[in-house]
Every structure is written in structure tokens, then in C-alpha cells.
């Protein structure tokens, strides 16, 4: 077992920040068109493996983790500020997050970082703006690395630090004139719309790792959604009436569903296949839940 203290975390933060500043670049995977979503790019995994080194992938995911474990934030302030204001590094970082499929995870971690920086400072303001940027444009950014530049950047309010930092370096971007909001609005908006059911949605539940959502609908189906991309991971068909209740097992391997067809069904998340059907109720099932050991369903 290895122990990493605050001094080692600080050194790792410094090293990951250095890697980000020296290895990140525009269109790092040489994507040929901004008209394709990430999952439509042929051989994207091979492009990622070829162009994003292991140390860069690690640095993109974990520089903030090492930063907040390095001790008092004041000792890291200058290094954080240097990273934030280093050319287009933060935009290039966002592009890599899109390619690696971890935009939402990083956005949530940034909340922890902002709380770690306990008082107002220049770097806290800038980190808050980056988090807001990810929040407001999470759908296009998650689905297409190119849209960090082709759409999201254009809609950044003009009085923000982000606009002042990056607009001058992307003068060929689409220009938006007479926008209503010159600063970020304080109100939080939803970050994802999941479309696909053809009937009312009666039930939703998150997986234990928050990567997926399961929903039950009046279209008689159970659907699992990828929270990061908004895409359907699986659709289970078999119920003959509306699905009113859904639940993940604690290990996220199975989903239970209850329906107006008087049955409870268990589905395999990985296989996409039905595992069991329980009959015995003489009326609609409106609630299902797993026991903590996943051996029983009530």
C-alpha cells in the first residue's frame, strides 16, 4: 500500500498542470468535421489512443484531485492561476474531457474545488466561470468535442472572463450580436433532456455511481440512459402495460420494474436481456425496490 501525503499531491498537481500546458492542443485528435458527433467519428477510440497520451489522459482527469489534496489552497494559488491563464489551455482541456467522456464528472468535481478555495479570489472566479460554461453547454460539449469552439464558445456572455480570455484567439468563430445576457445568469438550468419515450414517464432512478438513469414509461418500456451523453444505453421491452416503477440494484447489474400489467420484471443491465418475471399480484404494481444484498425484490 502506498501513502501519498500533501507534499506528494502538490508535486503531482504541479506535474499534471505542466503536462496539460505542454501537451494540449487544438483539435488534438485531428477530427475532420464538426458536423459529426463524437460517437459518429470512425475509429475515434484509435484516434484517442494515438493522440492523447496516458499521462495527458491522467492529467486531464486528476489534476484537480491532486490540487485539493495538496494542503492549503494558498500555496497552489499562483500555479492554479498560471494554468487557468495559460493561452487556450482550459478550452483544449474541455475538448479532451469531451473526447474522454467525462465532462459531467469533472463538472461535479469543480464544485468541490470551488468550495475548497474558501474565499473570493481571481482563480476562484475563473474556476466558477469554467464550471458554469460546462454546465450551460454540457449537451453540445459532451456530444461533440468540436462544439467547444463552434457553438459553446460563441454563446459565452461578452463581459465574462472566458470571453476576454478566449474570443481574441478564435476570431473566426460565429459571432452573436445583441445578446440579452452579458454576464452569466445566476439561476441554474437543467443540464440534460432525455428524449425517446413515446408515452408519459412515470418513474426515474439513478444508478449508484450516477452514470445512468433508468426510466419507466406509459409506452410499456424501461430505458437506461447515459447521463454523460444523454444517449440510450438499453431499452427493455416486455411489459404489456405502462411501467410505473423502476429501481437499480445496489451493484447496478440489474434493474427491476413494476407495471400495470400486474408483474415485476428483472432486467440485466449489461446483457440487455430479461432475467426474471414475477407474477402473483392481481392488480397494478406501483412500487419496486431491491434488498441491500440484491437477493430479493419487494
Amino acid at each position: 500500500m502506498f501513502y501519498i501525503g500533501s507534499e506528494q499531491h502538490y508535486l503531482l498537481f504541479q506535474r499534471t498542470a505542466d503536462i496539460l500546458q505542454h501537451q494540449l492542443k487544438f483539435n488534438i485528435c485531428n477530427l475532420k468535421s464538426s458536423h459529426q458527433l463524437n460517437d459518429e467519428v470512425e475509429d475515434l477510440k484509435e484516434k484517442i489512443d494515438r493522440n492523447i497520451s496516458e499521462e495527458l489522459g491522467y492529467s486531464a482527469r486528476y489534476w484537480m484531485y491532486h490540487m485539493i489534496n495538496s494542503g492549503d489552497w494558498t500555496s497552489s494559488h499562483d500555479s492554479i492561476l498560471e494554468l487557468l491563464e495559460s493561452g487556450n489551455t482550459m478550452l483544449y482541456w474541455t475538448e479532451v474531457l469531451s473526447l474522454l467522456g467525462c465532462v459531467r464528472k469533472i463538472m461535479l468535481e469543480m464544485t468541490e474545488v470551488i468550495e475548497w478555495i474558501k474565499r473570493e479570489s481571481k482563480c476562484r472566479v475563473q474556476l466558477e466561470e469554467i464550471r458554469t460554461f460546462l454546465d450551460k453547454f454540457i449537451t453540445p460539449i459532451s456530444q461533440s468535442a468540436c462544439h467547444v469552439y463552434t457553438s459553446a464558445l460563441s454563446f459565452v456572455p461578452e463581459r465574462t472572463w472566458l470571453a476576454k480570455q478566449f474570443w481574441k484567439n478564435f476570431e473566426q468563430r460565429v459571432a452573436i450580436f445583441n445578446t440579452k445576457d452579458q454576464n452569466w445568469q445566476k439561476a441554474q438550468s437543467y443540464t440534460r433532456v432525455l428524449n425517446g419515450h413515446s408515452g408519459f414517464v412515470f418513474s426515474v432512478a439513478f444508478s449508484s455511481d450516477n452514470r445512468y438513469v433508468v426510466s419507466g414509461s406509459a409506452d410499456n418500456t424501461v430505458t437506461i440512459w447515459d447521463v454523460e451523453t444523454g444517449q440510450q444505453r438499453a431499452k427493455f421491452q416486455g411489459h404489456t402495460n405502462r411501467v410505473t416503477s423502476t429501481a437499480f440494484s445496489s451493484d447496478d447489474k440489474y434493474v427491476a420494474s413494476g407495471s400495470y400489467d400486474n408483474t415485476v420484471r428483472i432486467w440485466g443491465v449489461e446483457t440487455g436481456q430479461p432475467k426474471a418475471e414475477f407474477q402473483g399480484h392481481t392488480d397494478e404494481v406501483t412500487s419496486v425496490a431491491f434488498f441491500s444484498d440484491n437477493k430479493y425484490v419487494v
Side-chain angles (χ1 to χ4, degrees):
M1 180 179 292
F2 294 92
Y3 171 75
I4 301 178
S6 58
E7 291 184 5
Q8 287 74 35
H9 275 296
Y10 180 73
L11 291 173
L12 285 167
F13 160 60
Q14 294 276 14
R15 180 58 182 144
T16 53
D18 182 67
I19 289 171
L20 292 177
Q21 291 180 65
H22 287 88
Q23 292 194 24
L24 287 172
K25 63 179 182 178
F26 176 75
N27 194 15
I28 193 167
C29 286
N30 300 309
L31 304 181
K32 297 186 181 302
S33 173
S34 62
H35 296 284
Q36 290 181 305
L37 301 180
N38 291 345
D39 60 10
E40 296 173 341
V41 176
E42 185 177 355
D43 300 328
L44 180 61
K45 185 180 185 304
E46 288 76 10
K47 287 180 168 64
I48 291 172
D49 292 342
R50 188 165 58 249
N51 294 286
I52 299 177
S53 65
E54 289 187 14
E55 63 268 23
L56 178 56
Y58 179 91
S59 299
R61 290 184 178 98
Y62 295 111
W63 69 272
M64 290 189 298
Y65 167 76
H66 291 302
M67 183 177 70
I68 62 177
N69 284 283
S70 64
D72 183 4
W73 76 271
T74 55
S75 63
S76 303
H77 178 273
D78 291 345
S79 297
I80 301 169
L81 204 58
E82 180 183 355
L83 178 62
L84 293 171
E85 297 184 344
S86 175
N88 299 316
T89 298
M90 287 293 96
L91 274 188
Y92 299 159
W93 173 59
T94 304
E95 177 191 334
V96 167
L97 296 182
S98 174
L99 293 166
L100 297 178
C102 56
V103 177
R104 184 175 299 275
K105 176 180 179 292
I106 295 298
M107 186 184 76
L108 295 174
E109 288 181 3
M110 291 194 80
T111 300
E112 184 179 354
V113 172
I114 291 165
E115 291 174 354
W116 175 67
I117 301 176
K118 293 180 172 59
R119 60 183 176 83
E120 287 298 323
S121 65
K122 188 176 182 181
C123 64
R124 175 170 179 156
V125 170
Q126 293 175 0
L127 285 167
E128 285 177 337
E129 283 205 18
I130 294 170
R131 189 200 180 284
T132 303
F133 178 69
L134 296 178
D135 184 11
K136 296 289 187 182
F137 306 111
I138 192 165
T139 298
I141 290 174
S142 295
Q143 294 181 353
S144 171
C146 296
H147 277 267
V148 172
Y149 313 100
T150 60
S151 60
L153 182 60
S154 293
F155 283 94
V156 170
E158 64 178 325
R159 291 184 181 177
T160 61
W161 166 76
L162 282 167
K164 295 173 183 176
Q165 175 73 14
F166 300 121
W167 276 8
K168 62 181 181 293
N169 300 322
F170 292 90
E171 294 182 349
Q172 301 303 313
R173 73 186 187 284
V174 174
I176 310 297
F177 297 101
N178 298 321
T179 55
K180 179 180 178 181
D181 303 314
Q182 295 183 332
N183 289 296
W184 297 113
Q185 290 190 356
K186 297 296 183 183
Q188 293 295 310
S189 61
Y190 56 79
T191 60
R192 174 73 66 211
V193 178
L194 307 176
N195 290 309
H197 283 298
S198 59
F200 295 116
V201 176
F202 286 98
S203 174
V204 293
F206 276 94
S207 61
S208 63
D209 59 7
N210 298 318
R211 293 176 60 195
Y212 303 105
V213 165
V214 61
S215 56
S217 169
D219 63 12
N220 305 349
T221 68
V222 176
T223 301
I224 296 178
W225 310 85
D226 187 309
V227 173
E228 182 71 33
T229 66
Q231 302 300 307
Q232 288 186 13
R233 175 183 170 86
K235 176 170 279 193
F236 305 129
Q237 297 177 318
H239 283 294
T240 58
N241 207 327
R242 65 182 60 178
V243 179
T244 57
S245 184
T246 52
F248 272 100
S249 60
S250 61
D251 58 8
D252 297 330
K253 291 183 178 179
Y254 302 103
V255 162
S257 57
S259 169
Y260 267 31
D261 64 11
N262 304 354
T263 69
V264 173
R265 297 183 184 232
I266 309 295
W267 314 86
V269 173
E270 292 296 331
T271 65
Q273 299 299 315
K275 177 176 175 62
E277 178 183 349
F278 303 127
Q279 298 180 342
H281 284 294
T282 58
D283 210 337
E284 296 100 342
V285 180
T286 58
S287 175
V288 292
F290 280 90
F291 276 54
S292 59
D293 60 6
N294 299 318
K295 291 182 179 180
Y296 303 99
V297 167
V298 60

